[in-house]
Amino acid sequence: MSSIAVVICAYSDERRQQLGDAIGSVLNQTRRPERVVVVIDHNEGLLHAIRASFPEVEVLANAGAQGLSGARNTGVRASAPMDVVAFLDDDAVAEPDWLERLASHYAGSAIIGVGGGVLPLWQSGRPSWFPEEFQWVVGCSYRGLPEGLRPVRNPIGCNMSFRRSVFEAVGGFREGMGRSGQDAAGCEETELCIRAHQHYPNSVILYDPHAMVHHHVTAERSRWAYFRRRCLAEGRSKSAVVKAVGAGENLGAERSYVTRTLPAGVVRGLLAVATRLDAGGLMRAGAIIAGLAFTMAGYLMAKYSRTASTFRPIKIVSIDQAKPLPAIDLSRPDGVAYGGVFCLVRSGSQPRAIVELEHEGPVVEPADLLAKIGSITSLAPITAYRTPPKERVAVVIATRDRAESLDRCLTSLFDQTRAPDEVVVVDNAPASTATADLLSARYRGRVHYVLEPTPGLGRAHNSGLRYVSSDIVLFTDDDVVLDRHWVEAMAAPMEEDGTVGCVTGLILPAELETRAQVWTERHGGFGKGLQRRAYDLKANRPKSVLFPFTAGQFGSGANMAFRASALRRVGGFDSALGAGTLARGGDDLAAFFAIVNGGFQLVYQPQGIIWHYHRRGEEGMRRQAYCYGMGLGAYLTKIVVDDPRRALRLAAAFPAGILHMAGPTSEKTARLPSDYPRRLIWMERLGILAGVPGYLRSLAKRRRDDRPHGGLTARRPAEREV
């Protein structure tokens, strides 16, 4: 008898009760699985809650790309060495004999996968207009599937199983394809099954409608808006499948569905009107036609849009010129090879060049890399540190419900060439005790823990600043890995020159595994070059009417350091700004502006390197672009509120600002990749406008929160030494 593991993937706190029901249904099977693995997709609070509630199952964090494919691949790896891996959705409940029925079919050696039936559990009742032919929209069995035990091309993702040998032979689910968060994408199981059939041409995947699960359908998913969105997404997903594995016979099931099942459904609906005076029949017939049109539209838009090209991940590497160049392996565990490298060329702590090289693989030979490096006309010069007396250095990290990434960041912090004298972690409005538990268990005595209950990155940074005694304070985020020379490099400019009030550093991508991460890297402009630069109101003042308003040119908040006395003198961070506030961002820009406008020098120090984990999912890019714009608009509103006379200077600089953002010679536009969606550009611009009321609302809320005090004199947050 084959051993079986069950994998359940989850991401949403809203489905916590349903996830518990799903786990319970698996634990109460007539044929008990040897292992049950629950994979939580980038939700620390849910991860710890399920671990506490179900100690009898393995609960893991998604170690792959964010989204269902990455989570399933994590589950497949964790469930080894079980012979068969079964998948159940977090919002589904299995019948007691579900696994027994699936397992019974693996006696045949040609069977490589088995799926079962999925019945909908309508939260608000089945809409009269909703056709059975489109129940795949809500992840359920639909009219057109076999009514008895039959071979199929692929099972339904909510209820499926495969031999482990399939994953070993063809790799896992294709990451970057399929659902991520709240988006409506799919087809990752379709693409996997096509690859499996290509590898095993005589193999069979069975559909057993009696191996039954029940799938919750929320009220939101029974609405027309979701129907339309899901059909469009299915079309886009089918386009991605065609590009990945080709069309031909691979889409034979779709052709039969379109040419036979759907026309029959339209006729059935019209007959219901004619014979039973069923008005719903007419609506169902119309929904079938509309659903097909939406799906075809999604397919064609994806096929002919600029974003339709197949994305291949990019490998991040760092090489030292003083050492022999390595050969770089471009293979990946999921079988989708890297399409090139993003390479930092350095000499010790000094970054010299960034090389981006497209390559077909499977290995980038040293000669290929050397030829690309040699084509760079000039490498950044090597600038040695002077060795003044060292001052005490503190590091402040603000975090919120990301204990695992914080742990990764702290691991790199305690592996520095220069150890910090103080480390403060500010836990900002957490949903659980996961961060406090991590620090208590792994960093007791090395980290000062501060609980800041009011959300807002600016407020969190101010809270950390209150608890440091050092005059040099470095700030970074919890989703980064710090280069080993980071502390030393970021402190050096302030130790060399007492007029330096702020230092920013180089931010490089920690991974470029998804198209969204490439978009973020190009759009964000985190890397400000490899040349050290200084900014002030005197000798180092750029000849631009935008200076010093374009504070984004100075650096980014994930990698910044301040002389604490200078930061306090300019009022600290504005707690009405930053992630977690109604303004969404802008706290770092306002602090940079205040330092330069306050008469201090700001230095961009490229030797202060961090590696940032950009968000992996494309679904959140619209919100992210909007928040970028809001942060900028909120920051500009803040500096006018602080001094209304600046409105005239900003008005005079407005034409140059438009050219900077959208002109034909705009660097911001030039660095965007060709497939960057224009809708995201307009979302950012809309966000800039929304930043004005956003800041004013956030400012009013800050004043309410801080009564009777404000700014750095506000009430002290809770602290704890761990």
Side-chain angles (χ1 to χ4, degrees):
M1 179 181 293
S2 299
S3 57
I4 298 182
V6 175
V7 173
I8 305 174
C9 302
Y11 73 95
S12 174
D13 289 298
E14 296 176 359
R15 296 186 187 176
R16 186 177 297 186
Q17 179 61 51
Q18 294 175 353
L19 173 59
D21 294 342
I23 296 172
S25 73
V26 171
L27 295 178
N28 290 307
Q29 291 289 300
T30 56
R31 197 280 191 213
R32 289 288 297 268
E34 279 72 18
R35 297 177 72 176
V36 179
V37 179
V38 178
V39 183
I40 305 299
D41 188 18
H42 294 75
N43 186 330
E44 295 285 344
L46 182 61
L47 176 74
H48 292 282
I50 299 303
R51 278 178 176 168
S53 300
F54 295 94
E56 64 270 53
V57 305
E58 299 176 58
V59 184
L60 309 172
N62 178 10
Q66 184 172 4
L68 186 55
S69 292
R72 283 174 171 168
N73 288 339
T74 298
V76 170
R77 290 190 292 269
S79 63
M82 300 300 107
D83 301 323
V84 174
V85 184
F87 298 89
L88 181 70
D89 277 6
D90 61 339
D91 55 353
V93 177
E95 288 283 349
D97 62 347
W98 171 62
L99 271 186
E100 185 176 358
R101 288 184 176 276
L102 292 181
S104 66
H105 298 297
Y106 281 101
S109 59
I111 307 299
I112 62 170
V114 182
V118 184
L119 290 182
L121 292 173
W122 299 92
Q123 182 183 29
S124 55
R126 180 191 188 89
S128 59
W129 60 265
F130 203 111
E132 291 185 14
E133 290 80 0
F134 274 79
Q135 282 190 172
W136 56 262
V137 164
V138 293
C140 297
S141 297
Y142 53 92
R143 187 185 293 270
L145 283 176
E147 297 182 0
L149 184 66
R150 293 287 188 278
V152 291
R153 183 193 59 194
N154 61 274
I156 300 172
C158 174
N159 177 6
M160 62 183 180
S161 65
F162 299 97
R163 292 190 189 273
R164 175 168 300 280
S165 57
V166 170
F167 300 105
E168 293 172 349
V170 305
F173 295 93
R174 190 179 293 272
E175 299 187 3
M177 181 177 288
R179 189 176 300 273
S180 177
Q182 294 286 351
D183 71 1
C187 288
E188 68 280 358
E189 66 273 2
T190 302
E191 191 272 342
L192 172 74
C193 290
I194 290 174
R195 278 190 282 133
H197 284 303
Q198 290 172 343
H199 187 83
Y200 299 106
N202 298 318
S203 63
V204 173
I205 295 176
L206 281 179
Y207 173 71
D208 182 352
H210 300 294
M212 188 70 66
V213 305
H214 302 269
H215 193 192
H216 290 277
V217 181
T218 63
E220 188 273 333
R221 291 192 175 187
S222 62
R223 297 183 180 125
W224 178 257
Y226 182 82
F227 180 86
R228 175 179 55 82
R229 183 161 64 94
R230 180 68 184 88
C231 290
L232 286 167
E234 182 72 6
R236 292 193 297 268
S237 299
K238 283 293 190 294
S239 177
V241 169
V242 170
K243 288 184 175 297
V245 295
E249 296 181 0
N250 294 326
L251 297 185
E254 282 76 10
R255 294 189 187 94
S256 175
Y257 174 78
V258 169
T259 58
R260 297 180 183 178
T261 303
L262 295 188
V266 172
V267 171
R268 191 178 300 108
L270 296 177
L271 286 175
V273 177
T275 60
R276 302 196 305 271
L277 301 179
D278 178 7
L282 183 61
M283 290 189 289
R284 289 191 295 275
I288 290 174
I289 296 171
L292 176 60
F294 289 142
T295 306
M296 289 300 299
Y299 178 88
L300 294 173
M301 285 190 295
K303 181 177 181 180
Y304 295 109
S305 72
R306 291 189 303 167
T307 61
S309 58
T310 301
F311 173 79
R312 294 178 64 189
I314 301 168
K315 188 166 189 174
I316 307 296
V317 294
S318 176
I319 62 173
D320 196 319
Q321 283 183 297
K323 300 176 182 179
L325 294 182
I328 302 172
D329 183 7
L330 297 182
S331 63
R332 297 170 76 248
D334 66 357
V336 182
Y338 288 105
V341 295
F342 179 102
C343 177
L344 173 66
V345 181
R346 61 195 305 168
S347 178
S349 64
Q350 174 69 49
R352 305 296 311 284
I354 293 175
V355 174
E356 297 187 58
L357 174 64
E358 292 185 7
H359 200 283
E360 291 301 315
V363 174
V364 178
E365 299 293 345
D368 300 330
L369 204 55
L370 188 61
K372 184 67 175 179
I373 295 172
S375 68
I376 299 174
T377 56
S378 62
L379 299 179
I382 296 177
T383 55
Y385 300 141
R386 296 200 296 271
T387 56
K390 288 184 171 62
E391 301 181 37
R392 283 174 55 82
V393 176
V395 175
V396 173
I397 304 172
T399 187
R400 187 177 189 182
D401 296 327
R402 293 197 292 203
E404 290 195 6
S405 60
L406 174 64
D407 187 23
R408 181 178 57 202
C409 177
L410 288 172
T411 299
S412 65
L413 178 59
F414 290 111
D415 186 36
Q416 293 286 301
T417 55
R418 175 180 175 180
D421 299 286
E422 302 174 88
V423 178
V424 176
V425 171
V426 183
D427 200 2
N428 189 206
S432 73
T433 62
T435 296
D437 296 342
L438 165 72
L439 299 183
S440 179
R442 297 200 56 184
Y443 299 98
R444 182 180 297 274
R446 295 193 288 173
V447 171
H448 192 86
Y449 174 84
V450 175
L451 174 62
E452 171 49 71
T454 304
L457 189 55
R459 183 180 296 274
H461 284 158
N462 282 340
S463 297
L465 185 62
R466 293 189 188 101
Y467 288 96
V468 300
S469 59
S470 304
D471 196 39
I472 295 178
V473 187
L474 282 55
F475 294 87
T476 192
D477 291 348
D478 58 6
D479 54 353
V480 306
V481 169
L482 308 168
D483 185 78
R484 294 193 69 240
H485 304 275
W486 180 70
V487 171
E488 179 183 12
M490 294 294 285
M494 284 183 279
E495 293 178 320
E496 294 170 359
D497 187 344
T499 67
V500 177
C502 177
V503 177
T504 62
L506 176 62
I507 303 177
L508 296 175
E511 61 180 16
L512 294 174
E513 295 288 322
T514 69
R515 191 191 305 271
Q517 289 181 320
V518 173
W519 286 346
T520 300
E521 175 63 20
R522 298 291 185 264
H523 171 269
F526 295 117
K528 307 300 179 183
L530 305 183
Q531 301 280 352
R532 178 166 166 166
R533 294 188 297 275
Y535 301 93
D536 56 45
L537 296 178
K538 299 177 182 177
N540 299 291
R541 182 185 186 118
K543 295 179 180 179
S544 170
V545 295
L546 297 175
F547 180 84
F549 299 123
T550 50
Q553 68 181 308
F554 302 143
S556 299
N559 189 7
M560 59 186 180
F562 292 88
R563 192 177 300 279
S565 55
L567 184 57
R568 292 188 177 105
R569 190 181 306 175
V570 300
F573 294 93
D574 187 337
S575 55
L577 293 172
T581 69
L582 296 173
R584 308 289 181 90
D587 54 311
D588 52 348
L589 304 180
F592 299 156
F593 175 86
I595 285 290
V596 173
N597 197 61
F600 298 97
Q601 188 176 93
L602 184 149
V603 172
Y604 170 67
Q605 168 69 298
Q607 290 167 303
I609 303 170
I610 68 169
W611 304 85
H612 184 265
Y613 283 85
H614 304 332
R615 295 179 182 178
R616 289 178 163 180
E618 293 184 19
E619 189 273 336
M621 287 296 294
R622 180 181 301 181
R623 181 176 180 274
Q624 188 173 5
Y626 185 74
C627 290
Y628 279 146
M630 271 201 76
L632 175 57
Y635 146 68
L636 293 174
T637 305
K638 177 234 175 0
I639 64 176
V640 172
V641 169
D642 289 349
D643 185 351
R645 293 172 298 179
R646 292 175 183 146
L648 294 176
R649 291 183 58 197
L650 282 172
F654 182 75
I658 294 296
L659 290 175
H660 171 74
M661 287 202 61
T665 60
S666 167
E667 291 184 11
K668 184 178 181 67
T669 303
R671 67 173 175 248
L672 294 179
S674 60
D675 63 352
Y676 190 82
R678 291 197 61 81
R679 67 181 182 276
L680 299 184
I681 298 174
W682 286 104
M683 286 303 297
E684 181 182 11
R685 294 170 183 172
L686 180 63
I688 295 174
L689 298 177
V692 178
Y695 177 72
L696 297 177
R697 292 172 59 217
S698 188
L699 180 62
K701 184 178 184 302
R702 185 197 75 182
R703 289 169 175 166
R704 292 193 300 270
D705 291 341
D706 285 349
R707 288 187 183 126
H709 302 292
L712 294 176
T713 62
R715 54 95 181 100
R716 292 167 69 87
E719 62 173 313
R720 189 172 84 201
E721 195 74 46
V722 296

